Amino acid sequence: MSKKTPEYLPSQIVAGAAEVLAADTPPANPKSNSRHKSKSVPLSLFVAAVDQSPVAISITDKKANILYINQAFTQVTGYQAAEILGENESKLSDKSTPRQVYYDLWHTISRKQVWHGRLVNRRKQGQRYLADLTISPMLDEHGSVSHYIGMHRDVTETHHAEQQVNNQKQLIESVINASPVAMVVLDKDNRIVLDNQMYKMLISELGHAEPALFFLDALRQELGDLWSSEMDLHNGFNNREIRVEGIGRRGTRWFSCSGNWFSENDTQADSFFSKQSRDYLLLSINDISLQRRQQEKLQLETLRSLMAEEEHMRSIRETLLGAMHQIRQPLNQIHAAIQIMAQRNDTHNQPLKELLNQVQSMGEETLSTLQRCVPEIPETAMMSVNINQLLHEVMLLYSYKFLANGVVIDWQPNPVLPSILGSENKLRMLFKQLIDNAVNAMNRVGSKERSIHISTALENDWVRVALADSGPGIPVNQRNKVFEPFFTTQHNVGSAQSGMGLVMAREIVNQHSGIIEIDPDYSPGCCFNISFPCQHNASRVNTHE
């Protein structure tokens, strides 16, 4: 069976297509129609342009029989003109292309519309390739379809690259979503660009629309001025721990936050020659609550032993200091009597004077002996301390005392607090002493309502602690005296209290550059307000002192 001879020569077909295109293109200015025609491009140039175009071009009749191909068509398909002219375009088709695609193709071009899409074609050698195809109807002078012109490119490699990018993107998203760590990407304006499933869970658990902004604000409070400089320099950070108080039924939780900056090249056209990039922060939020609770249990056992030993030492210390105070008072009176006798030059009472001197000397020796017996409180290193966590530990350590005395604790912490610079042991002693005072005060008067309210807050780079009780309170005329050595509000003489508890409390607060005061407006009961500078602000406070 012989091949059908083409109806026109290739140059005639292309020239006819050029005429149709030229006829369908109105001049820019109707008044200059003659000038437009006189300056029109020669048809031979159209023929050469189509023939030498780097895009594969074919012209068919209305039944898709090929009448013309250019050089690029041969390069893409492998077919020479003599092998393909007169054949139907379906010779290039591959069965892997769905029938629906061809139906849409013919349905579109038969209505004189341009169709664009992708087909799987076969080369002469049998290899499949992906063709990006555009087919446009060519109309005659009556507006009827006379031919079709098809232009297509081999986009196999482009498609392969696109699919690789999509596959890598899906792989990355799958890995990120499968991660047990919450991850979120933010731009330089702190807008969320990408997040994973664990991050979405945090949204419901924490009750914040964007937990990332909540944690960034907590880190900003924690690091102070250092945070701004680190962010400006795009320095990353690792394992910054954030403690979040009172989240629903799950209670206190701990999170470890890490952040890394990365850059992405701008994809806009105006950045093609002048490279521009956009900076993003990858924030990882790891819930370490389980580990921290296990550590807390082990730490509480150690703290119980440590606090018991410290309590024993403090009791011995206060007992000895109280005894020294009791001895010092009569010694001062003896010394005053000796001075008076010396001024009067009383020779009749010389034996009494010598006896008093002996008593004074023996008393001073006794005081020196007692002073050497007073145990020293060892100095501890200053470190970052989270007041919420420390107060929580103190309440757990003394929960048995609250239960034994029927005391209800109202604990209202600030959700997130920056650290302060301090000694954990001394701060525990401070709050333990204030709690002891509150329990003893309520027991002393037999208060029916037994409650202690403890709250924390952050105000102007200061961590505030309020510790209030429902006891009898401290009379106005005694509020300054309670911080004096050996002053006590208890009237039972045989009490073991030496009146040094609040003296020690004020000393510890002063050592931390803090402030302790009694709220004059709190009633009924007593409320101590304690303030400490945040860690990033502590050095500046010490500098000004």
Side-chain angles (χ1 to χ4, degrees):
M1 184 176 179
S2 60
K3 294 181 180 179
K4 181 180 178 180
T5 305
E7 184 179 353
Y8 301 102
L9 294 175
S11 59
Q12 292 173 318
I13 295 292
V14 177
E19 288 179 351
V20 171
L21 292 174
D24 289 342
T25 305
N29 186 354
K31 295 182 179 179
S32 57
N33 190 31
S34 59
R35 184 174 61 182
H36 174 74
K37 289 184 178 180
S38 63
K39 293 185 178 181
S40 62
V41 178
L43 294 180
S44 60
L45 184 58
F46 273 96
V47 174
V50 172
D51 207 31
Q52 299 175 27
S53 171
V55 178
I57 297 177
S58 63
I59 298 176
T60 72
D61 59 18
K62 292 189 293 182
K63 295 182 178 180
N65 296 314
I66 300 174
L67 305 177
Y68 167 80
I69 62 171
N70 66 351
Q71 298 174 18
F73 186 95
T74 299
Q75 293 171 0
V76 172
T77 65
Y79 287 103
Q80 299 293 333
E83 300 171 317
I84 198 70
L85 291 180
E87 298 287 347
N88 196 275
E89 284 277 4
S90 60
K91 188 172 184 177
L92 301 177
S93 302
D94 186 83
K95 293 181 179 179
S96 59
T97 302
R99 289 182 176 273
Q100 183 64 37
V101 176
Y102 291 112
Y103 175 81
D104 292 340
L105 185 158
W106 280 104
H107 183 69
T108 301
I109 62 178
S110 62
R111 291 185 300 167
K112 303 179 184 180
Q113 296 177 355
V114 176
W115 183 88
H116 177 261
R118 289 186 175 185
L119 305 175
V120 178
N121 282 352
R122 276 184 178 270
R123 294 187 176 90
K124 176 183 176 182
Q125 296 80 6
Q127 303 98 332
R128 293 186 180 91
Y129 71 96
L130 186 65
D132 185 80
L133 174 63
T134 300
I135 300 178
S136 176
M138 297 174 62
L139 307 180
D140 58 18
E141 62 275 10
H142 303 294
S144 300
V145 176
S146 62
H147 300 84
Y148 294 108
I149 180 170
M151 296 167 283
H152 80 271
R153 296 180 298 114
D154 181 357
V155 294
T156 306
E157 292 185 1
T158 302
H159 173 73
H160 178 71
E162 290 174 351
Q163 287 302 111
Q164 277 191 321
V165 171
N166 289 333
N167 292 341
Q168 289 176 354
K169 180 182 177 182
Q170 291 178 4
L171 176 62
I172 292 172
E173 290 179 352
S174 298
V175 170
I176 290 177
N177 280 327
S179 172
V181 177
M183 295 183 179
V184 59
V185 176
L186 304 96
D187 63 15
K188 63 179 182 179
D189 297 320
N190 287 339
R191 290 176 297 197
I192 308 300
V193 177
L194 177 69
D195 58 17
N196 67 349
Q197 293 298 323
M198 287 300 295
Y199 179 80
K200 290 180 173 64
M201 290 176 61
L202 281 182
I203 295 177
S204 60
E205 292 178 0
L206 296 181
H208 293 276
E210 290 300 348
L213 303 183
F214 171 77
F215 283 104
L216 289 178
D217 186 59
L219 290 167
R220 188 179 298 108
Q221 292 178 7
E222 179 73 21
L223 299 177
D225 296 338
L226 181 61
W227 171 260
S228 299
S229 60
E230 291 293 308
M231 291 300 100
D232 291 341
L233 296 173
H234 285 182
N235 292 334
F237 53 91
N238 292 307
N239 300 323
R240 290 284 182 178
E241 189 172 311
I242 300 296
R243 177 188 172 102
V244 183
E245 299 289 341
I247 306 176
R249 297 179 180 178
R250 304 187 67 173
T252 301
R253 294 173 69 181
W254 291 262
F255 297 90
S256 177
C257 299
S258 300
N260 294 287
W261 288 95
F262 67 93
S263 297
E264 179 184 71
N265 291 331
D266 196 342
T267 58
Q268 298 299 321
D270 53 3
S271 301
F272 183 79
F273 292 104
S274 58
K275 298 297 182 183
Q276 298 180 14
S277 62
R278 296 178 180 179
D279 297 323
Y280 297 93
L281 174 66
L282 172 61
L283 179 64
S284 302
I285 307 168
N286 188 16
D287 189 345
I288 57 172
S289 301
L290 181 60
Q291 301 93 306
R292 291 294 284 114
R293 288 192 184 99
Q294 293 173 344
Q295 293 174 5
E296 191 177 65
K297 289 180 181 178
L298 296 174
Q299 186 180 7
L300 282 176
E301 294 301 322
T302 304
L303 285 176
R304 281 193 177 95
S305 301
L306 180 63
M307 293 291 285
E309 183 179 347
E310 289 181 351
E311 177 68 17
H312 181 63
M313 289 182 61
R314 189 176 71 87
S315 178
I316 294 174
R317 181 181 174 86
E318 289 191 3
T319 300
L320 291 174
L321 290 175
M324 290 171 62
H325 177 69
Q326 295 297 325
I327 294 173
R328 174 60 64 187
Q329 288 180 338
L331 282 181
N332 289 339
Q333 293 175 351
I334 291 173
H335 179 72
I338 294 173
Q339 293 296 321
I340 292 173
M341 293 174 68
Q343 291 175 2
R344 292 180 178 178
N345 196 17
D346 191 350
T347 57
H348 298 288
N349 293 323
Q350 187 64 29
L352 177 59
K353 179 180 179 182
E354 292 176 359
L355 179 61
L356 291 176
N357 281 327
Q358 292 177 6
V359 173
Q360 183 180 22
S361 177
M362 292 174 65
E364 294 294 342
E365 290 179 6
T366 301
L367 287 176
S368 298
T369 302
L370 291 174
Q371 183 65 51
R372 289 192 296 271
C373 294
V374 175
E376 293 293 332
I377 298 178
E379 290 294 328
T380 55
M382 303 291 276
M383 57 175 47
S384 296
V385 179
N386 185 291
I387 289 294
N388 277 343
Q389 180 173 341
L390 189 134
L391 282 167
H392 180 67
E393 291 173 352
V394 171
M395 288 185 286
L396 288 177
L397 285 169
Y398 294 100
S399 57
Y400 69 92
K401 187 168 187 175
F402 301 141
L403 291 173
N405 291 275
V407 176
V408 176
I409 298 296
D410 181 18
W411 170 229
Q412 295 186 4
N414 196 67
V416 176
L417 280 184
S419 298
I420 70 167
L421 191 64
S423 165
E424 287 188 340
N425 290 342
K426 289 185 177 181
L427 290 170
R428 270 191 288 267
M429 290 174 62
L430 162 67
F431 293 117
K432 192 260 182 196
Q433 181 61 53
L434 294 177
I435 289 174
D436 281 344
N437 282 1
V439 174
N440 292 336
M442 289 185 289
N443 286 341
R444 189 169 65 249
V445 298
S447 300
K448 293 183 179 180
E449 181 184 350
R450 295 167 176 262
S451 63
I452 296 178
H453 172 84
I454 304 175
S455 63
T456 60
L458 177 65
E459 297 177 10
N460 301 323
D461 287 338
W462 285 76
V463 173
R464 314 284 188 187
V465 180
L467 195 151
D469 63 68
S470 58
I474 300 175
V476 176
N477 60 343
Q478 295 183 0
R479 288 177 181 172
N480 291 328
K481 293 182 179 180
V482 293
F483 293 106
E484 296 177 1
F486 306 108
F487 179 86
T488 176
T489 57
Q490 299 194 34
H491 302 292
N492 47 332
V493 180
S495 171
Q497 298 293 330
S498 62
M500 292 295 292
L502 291 179
V503 176
M504 179 195 68
R506 170 171 277 183
E507 181 181 353
I508 293 174
V509 172
N510 290 339
Q511 290 172 354
H512 290 79
S513 303
I515 302 169
I516 181 170
E517 55 190 1
I518 300 173
D519 187 346
D521 300 322
Y522 189 84
S523 180
C526 177
C527 178
F528 285 92
N529 292 324
I530 308 103
S531 303
F532 300 102
C534 296
Q535 182 173 352
H536 59 266
N537 194 38
S539 58
R540 286 180 286 180
V541 172
N542 291 330
T543 302
H544 292 301
E545 288 182 350

